[in-house]
Structure formats: C-alpha cells, structure tokens
Amino acid sequence: MGRLNLLMSVLLSIFSVSIVLLPNLASAQLKTNYYANICPNVESIVRNVVNQKFKQTFVTVPAVLRLFFHDCFVEGCDASVIVSSTPGNTAEKDHSDNLSLAGDGFDTVIKAKAAVDSNLRCKNKVSCADILALATRDVIQLSGGPWYPVELGRLDGFISKASNVEGKLPKPTFNLNQLNSMFASHGLTQADMIALSAAHSVGFSHCGKFSNRIYNFSPQNLIDPTLNKQYAAQLQGMCPRNVDPRIAIDMDPKTPRTFDNNYFKNLQQGMGLFTSDQVLYTDKRSKGTVDLWASNSKSFQNAFTTAMTKLGRVGVKTGRNGNIRFDCGRMN
C-alpha cells in the first residue's frame, strides 16, 4: 500500500510538472522559418494583402493590431477571436469587450488566408493564427514602426466562447498594479506592458471609453487632474456630454497615423487618453521607462519587438491542441 501511494504521488508530481511545462514546450516549437519547406512564400503573400488593405484604409493598422492583442489575451494566440458565433455558441468576437474590434482587422486575415490558400503548395497548411501574427508585424512596419522576425508554427484553437473573455482584457480604468498583474499572468513584464501600451500610438477610441475623465471623474474633480487642461477641453469639444458613445477620436492627438514613441511624449504632457495610459507616467514605478522611451526611439523599438515576440508565444496551440482552419471564421 505504501509503495502504491508513493507511486501515485510520483505520477501526480510528474503530471503536474508536465502541465506547468506544456505552454513553454508549445512556444518552444515556434520558429521563424517554420514554413520554409511548407509554404516558402507565405510572408510575401500575406504582406501583399496587408499592403492592399492599408492602401484602402489606415484603419487596417489599429484593427489588425488590436485583433492580435485581443486574440492572444483570451485562450492564447490561436485565432479564436476570429471565429463567428453559431446558434449553439456565442463566440469571443461577440463579447461586449470585442464589439469595438474594427471589421478591417478580420477582413485582412480572411483575405490573407484566401491568398495563401490560392497557392496550391500552401493550401490548408498555414494557420489563421500565424497569418494574424504576420499581418500584425506588417501593419506595424507600414505605419512607421519596427520590422521584426515573426515566430511561426501556431495552430488554430478549438474553443471560442464569449464567456471566456470576461476579465481577460485590460480596462481603460486600470491602475499600474492591475495592468502588471494581468500582463504578468501571460509571462509579460512591466516593461513589456509599457511597450505594448504604445499600440495606442495609432488608432482611435470611442468617447464612452474615457468620458468619465472629462465629466465626472470624482466628487472633488469633475475632470481628472492628471489630464492636461487644454487636452481635456479639446476632448470635451470632440465628445460633448450627450454625444453618441460610439463616436471615435484619435488616441494620439499629434501623430495618429504614425507608430512612434510620441505616445510617451504625450504621457509626459498629461495627454494619455485613458487612465491606463496616463498612469504609466503618474506612477513613479513606470515613469522612468516612459521618460527613457520618450527620448530614445531606438530603445523603445527594441523593447517593443521583444514584447511582441513574447506576446506571440502566449497560449500557443501545437500538436493535438489545435488544427489549421479551412475557414478562419468557423471551426472545421
């Protein structure tokens, strides 16, 4: 009996260790040349589609970038956010936190998948998750950001449930502790979090996401005191009290169509749109990083590419945990 108990405890400990190691093993299988002998032209095929979408509308940039982030933070980077709901399942994309994801992001991935599959050598051999990761790198570069090699080899996930989204995405009201805690749960450091926050250098936000900062911040201060007064007045002009909350404004008031370190310069001037942006400067634990990257673009770009690579490893599916979807919008 004693031997049986000992054997059981050893097996349990091995099993628990394997569970802890699985995510690392999965991400370790990613490599930049994964498709070299499978679909050698995959990167240029995806890039051509992204270029075409970019020429049609700049919204492609923030749309794809947000889609990647929202995908990776729920169920990992497995293209589960792209799946459409069915009569028997409400998918991730229909959760309230994802309803503001612009259609141009989904359209980019779907068109890129069609282009890849039109190549007979590549047909049904490249995952939607990898196509999204490549498209994300491409929109960043097209808008002035850094190019970086993308690790590939992800499979598409089997699960996409709106109920899994709740509490998994950062809110615009988050403080530094809340931001650090959420990012740390995915193996991302405070520096990674600050670098990834600079995705707010491009794109737009709906008025309803920050109206509390300009109208009813607290009983003592109707306007958030950390908000630049002139900027607050501009925001009130663009987002009057009873405006349609779906009206959108640029997140970066100075260079909204360029992915750059101006995001950090804005924070220095009290011009972060969300509480979760401005807190990066008002909290002394993160202020130094903001100051560094505001003055050193190269240092920021290096940190950003590191953070994007780490983000792309989150919750990766390999082996039996995923497959390659024929249609990114529905399970096989």
Side-chain angles (χ1 to χ4, degrees):
M1 193 69 182
R3 283 185 177 181
L4 183 60
N5 286 338
L6 179 62
L7 179 61
M8 287 296 291
S9 66
V10 169
L11 286 172
L12 281 170
S13 66
I14 291 172
F15 182 63
S16 64
V17 166
S18 69
I19 288 175
V20 171
L21 292 178
L22 270 175
N24 296 329
L25 289 173
S27 62
Q29 291 181 30
L30 299 180
K31 50 188 180 181
T32 55
N33 65 343
Y34 182 84
Y35 292 104
N37 299 313
I38 302 169
C39 177
N41 295 327
V42 63
E43 296 206 26
S44 61
I45 295 171
V46 172
R47 190 176 300 115
N48 285 338
V49 173
V50 174
N51 281 336
Q52 290 168 14
K53 277 291 297 183
F54 178 75
K55 287 173 183 174
Q56 291 169 10
T57 173
F58 181 82
V59 175
T60 303
V61 175
V64 171
L65 193 46
R66 283 191 74 216
L67 193 64
F68 183 64
F69 183 84
H70 281 229
D71 183 42
C72 293
F73 262 44
V74 182
E75 294 293 323
C77 308
D78 64 353
S80 54
V81 75
I82 302 173
V83 175
S84 296
S85 294
T86 62
N89 178 63
T90 305
E92 283 178 33
K93 68 184 294 188
D94 288 321
H95 185 276
S96 58
D97 285 352
N98 284 331
L99 294 179
S100 62
L101 290 171
D104 289 298
F106 297 93
D107 188 52
T108 301
V109 177
I110 289 164
K111 283 181 174 167
K113 172 70 168 171
V116 170
D117 282 351
S118 69
N119 182 310
L120 290 178
R121 185 170 181 181
C122 304
K123 189 173 177 63
N124 299 330
K125 291 178 181 174
V126 180
S127 68
C128 302
D130 277 346
I131 288 172
L132 175 55
L134 286 169
T136 302
R137 185 270 312 278
D138 293 340
V139 297
I140 289 165
Q141 187 187 23
L142 278 171
S143 55
W147 182 93
Y148 55 93
V150 176
E151 295 179 340
L152 301 165
R154 302 165 189 79
L155 291 178
D156 299 322
F158 295 134
I159 299 167
S160 180
K161 293 183 178 295
S163 56
N164 290 342
V165 179
E166 194 61 39
K168 298 288 176 60
L169 296 167
K171 298 188 181 302
T173 54
F174 269 13
N175 61 33
L176 192 68
N177 287 341
Q178 290 169 310
L179 289 168
N180 279 337
S181 175
M182 181 168 282
F183 279 72
S185 71
H186 297 296
L188 299 163
T189 65
Q190 177 175 287
D192 295 327
M193 179 272 292
I194 298 169
L196 292 170
S197 295
H200 290 171
S201 168
V202 289
F204 51 86
S205 169
H206 297 99
C207 292
K209 293 291 184 183
F210 59 86
S211 59
N212 67 304
R213 296 189 72 205
I214 56 176
Y215 289 119
N216 55 346
F217 184 70
S218 71
Q220 294 78 28
N221 298 288
L222 293 179
I223 298 175
D224 184 341
T226 67
L227 196 57
N228 179 296
K229 286 185 172 62
Q230 287 178 304
Y231 185 44
Q234 287 176 15
L235 293 175
Q236 288 174 334
M238 292 183 283
C239 294
R241 274 187 182 275
N242 297 315
V243 72
D244 184 333
R246 293 169 296 180
I247 294 292
I249 69 158
D250 291 327
M251 292 204 71
D252 181 341
K254 295 188 175 176
T255 57
R257 289 179 170 238
T258 307
F259 186 95
D260 56 18
N261 68 333
N262 209 70
Y263 170 77
F264 301 108
K265 296 176 184 178
N266 289 338
L267 298 186
Q268 290 176 320
Q269 297 169 44
M271 297 171 72
L273 188 60
F274 295 160
T275 298
S276 58
D277 292 315
Q278 196 57 48
V279 74
L280 302 180
Y281 192 69
T282 56
D283 194 308
K284 63 179 184 294
R285 292 172 293 170
S286 46
K287 181 178 182 291
T289 305
V290 172
D291 284 332
L292 171 64
W293 291 343
S295 64
N296 190 326
S297 178
K298 188 64 181 171
S299 178
F300 157 60
Q301 290 192 350
N302 289 340
F304 182 78
T305 58
T306 296
M308 285 298 289
T309 301
K310 289 171 69 175
L311 175 62
R313 296 169 181 165
V314 172
V316 164
K317 310 294 188 295
T318 58
R320 295 180 182 177
N321 295 321
N323 63 10
I324 291 173
R325 263 180 241 141
F326 304 137
D327 176 346
C328 295
R330 62 185 179 88
M331 301 297 182
N332 291 354

